[in-house]
């Protein structure tokens, strides 16, 4: 143990990340836009982008120009795609640095066209189509007209078209309808060949449905080792393991409260281990009382009472657990989606919620 080890850290397995990319490619059978928004789902934006860039992916998908800047400034040359709408103030930089925006409104398109004209370039953009997500893009009926209008903007190269599935991990019938709708849109505006890039699928779409006329896919979650379709046979490798250590072990008498609100009270003498991690690290407080466990010395132990900001307590009665022992809160042995379910949320939120205090260790 180093002199002053972190109380909580996240081990990030980069070879697992590469393998998951390979699995995504195999399952999709087309090119990949790796979604690395929100600090690569909490795994560390620059580090993850460098590894994925070395695997020759077509694009990175990011949420905003701040993330685009961080990737580009890290020396990564892979094309960068902005997954959401942009503000006017952000657009000069987008044009100057050749990032690829998706277009949701004609005003936005005209502004990009003007900026590209001023720089003497033709900016590559993708059209965003709203097939039911309700978050951005043109609704299908507007598209023929929109396409005509865009044809009059000479400094825009409409090289791509994309849409987003809202329920690919929870509603099969609706998803099939939305995919059919998107394919119909493609054909109504000149056929898929008109666009260099056609994309639709997130991880769940990619695993559960075919690509249709698409030639690009946008996985996020599955790259980080979690399948959004729990029953799916795809083999993904765990990437992040959230770890901590036992800071203290005591035996409390029967009838003793543990943690805030004394929501748990011992019924017998109990060997209680205090672990150096809490909701201040992003381990969700909402698991309290819902059967969450910690993995120590090869087995699971139940959490007792509420998760506090920096510490939580575990029942290690009848075990040889010692102070200083390493603890896995999620990872190989307790998958993050199990923790998410016990916290009443989704794996995406847990991963992106791991706070900066947690040191990321890459291997
Ligand atoms: C976040 C996001 C994705 C990736 O979704 P996963 O479910 O994590 O695979 C793909 N496309 C868009 C537009 C997104 O916002």
């Amino acid at each position: 143990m180093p002199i002053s080890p972190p109380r909580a850290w996240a081990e990030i397995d980069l070879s697992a990340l590469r393998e998951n990319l390979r699995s995504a490619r195999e399952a999709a059978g087309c090119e990949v836009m790796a979604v690395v928004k929100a600090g690569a789902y909490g795994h560390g934006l620059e580090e993850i982008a460098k590894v994925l860039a070395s695997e020759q992916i077509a694009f990175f998908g990011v949420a905003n120009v701040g993330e685009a800047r961080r990737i580009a400034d890290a020396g990564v040359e892979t094309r960068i795609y902005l997954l959401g709408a942009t503000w006017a103030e952000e657009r000069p930089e987008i044009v100057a640095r050749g990032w690829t925006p998706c277009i949701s409104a004609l005003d936005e398109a005209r502004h990009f066209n003007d900026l590209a004209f001023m720089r003497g370039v033709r900016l590559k953009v993708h059209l965003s189509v709203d097939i039911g997500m309700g978050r951005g893009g043109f609704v299908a009926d507007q598209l023929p007209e929109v396409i005509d209008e865009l044809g009059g903007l000479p400094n825009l190269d409409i090289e791509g078209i994309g849409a987003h599935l809202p329920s690919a991990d929870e509603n099969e019938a609706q998803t099939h309808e939305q995919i059919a709708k998107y394919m119909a849109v493609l054909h109504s505006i000149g056929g898929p060949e008109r666009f260099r890039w056609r994309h639709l699928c997130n991880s769940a779409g990619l695993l559960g449905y075919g690509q249709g006329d698409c030639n690009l896919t946008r996985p996020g979650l599955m790259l980080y080792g979690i399948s959004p379709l729990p029953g799916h046979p795809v083999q993904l490798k765990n990437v992040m393991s959230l770890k901590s250590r036992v800071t203290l072990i005591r035996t409390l008498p029967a009838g003793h409260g543990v943690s805030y609100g004394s929501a748990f009270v011992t019924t017998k003498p109990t060997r209680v281990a205090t672990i150096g991690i809490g909701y201040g690290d992003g381990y969700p407080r909402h698991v309290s009382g819902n059967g969450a466990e910690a993995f120590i010395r090869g087995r699971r132990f139940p959490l007792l009472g509420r998760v506090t900001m920096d510490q939580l307590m575990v029942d290690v009665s009848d075990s040889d657990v010692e102070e200083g022992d390493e603890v896995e809160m999620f990872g190989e042995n307790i998958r993050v989606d199990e923790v998410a379910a016990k916290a009443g949320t989704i794996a995406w939120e847990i991963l992106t919620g791991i706070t900066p205090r947690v040191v990321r260790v890459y291997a």
Side-chain angles (χ1 to χ4, degrees), residues 35 37 41 83 135 164 201-204 218-222 348:
V35 177
K37 60 196 180 189
Y41 290 44
L83 293 159
R135 190 171 70 172
H164 191 43
C201 287
N202 52 6
S203 299
R218 304 186 311 262
L221 191 71
M222 72 177 293
W348 294 258

Side-chain angles (χ1 to χ4, degrees), residues 129 131 161-163 178-186 199-200 214:
V129 185
I131 53 168
I161 186 163
Q178 290 169 336
I179 293 173
K181 186 170 187 179
Y182 185 54
M183 298 308 154
V185 164
L186 283 181
H199 46 102
L200 172 64
C214 292

Side-chain angles (χ1 to χ4, degrees), residues 164-353:
H164 191 43
L165 294 167
S167 320
D169 56 348
E170 45 186 289
N171 189 332
E172 217 178 303
Q174 187 194 67
T175 301
H176 279 298
E177 264 171 44
Q178 290 169 336
I179 293 173
K181 186 170 187 179
Y182 185 54
M183 298 308 154
V185 164
L186 283 181
H187 286 273
S188 77
I189 55 176
E193 319 73 43
R194 178 161 179 178
F195 302 95
R196 167 72 184 86
W197 299 108
R198 290 97 56 187
H199 46 102
L200 172 64
C201 287
N202 52 6
S203 299
L206 182 172
L207 289 171
Y209 307 81
Q211 290 294 325
D213 290 317
C214 292
N215 63 354
L216 180 67
T217 186
R218 304 186 311 262
L221 191 71
M222 72 177 293
L223 298 179
Y224 309 103
I226 300 103
S227 170
L229 303 176
H232 196 279
V234 68
Q235 294 293 316
L236 298 171
K237 293 254 161 89
N238 185 68
V239 179
M240 183 192 290
S241 298
L242 182 66
K243 295 196 170 171
S244 183
R245 280 185 200 283
V246 176
T247 52
L248 185 67
I249 294 184
R250 296 169 314 137
T251 297
L252 295 178
H256 200 93
V258 178
S259 195
Y260 290 116
S262 300
F264 177 84
V265 178
T266 56
T267 55
K268 55 182 189 318
T270 304
R271 201 164 171 255
V272 176
T274 302
I275 318 290
I277 190 168
Y279 64 79
D281 302 287
Y283 185 79
R285 180 177 174 279
H286 279 90
V287 301
S288 307
N290 290 337
E293 295 171 315
F295 193 85
I296 317 170
R297 290 196 180 211
R299 58 173 270 216
R300 290 165 172 250
F301 296 93
L303 268 58
L304 298 176
R306 295 181 192 158
V307 174
T308 76
M309 190 185 294
D310 316 302
Q311 309 179 66
L312 54 84
M313 277 66 80
V314 167
D315 182 350
V316 293
S317 302
D318 309 317
S319 80
D320 52 3
V321 170
E322 289 176 12
E323 290 175 1
D325 277 358
E326 188 175 296
V327 181
E328 176 193 299
M329 299 310 299
F330 65 72
E332 243 8 284
N333 302 290
I334 297 177
R335 300 300 300 239
V336 67
D337 38 8
E338 177 186 329
V339 174
K342 286 174 176 163
T345 185
I346 53 176
W348 294 258
E349 188 180 37
I350 302 295
L351 291 174
T352 57

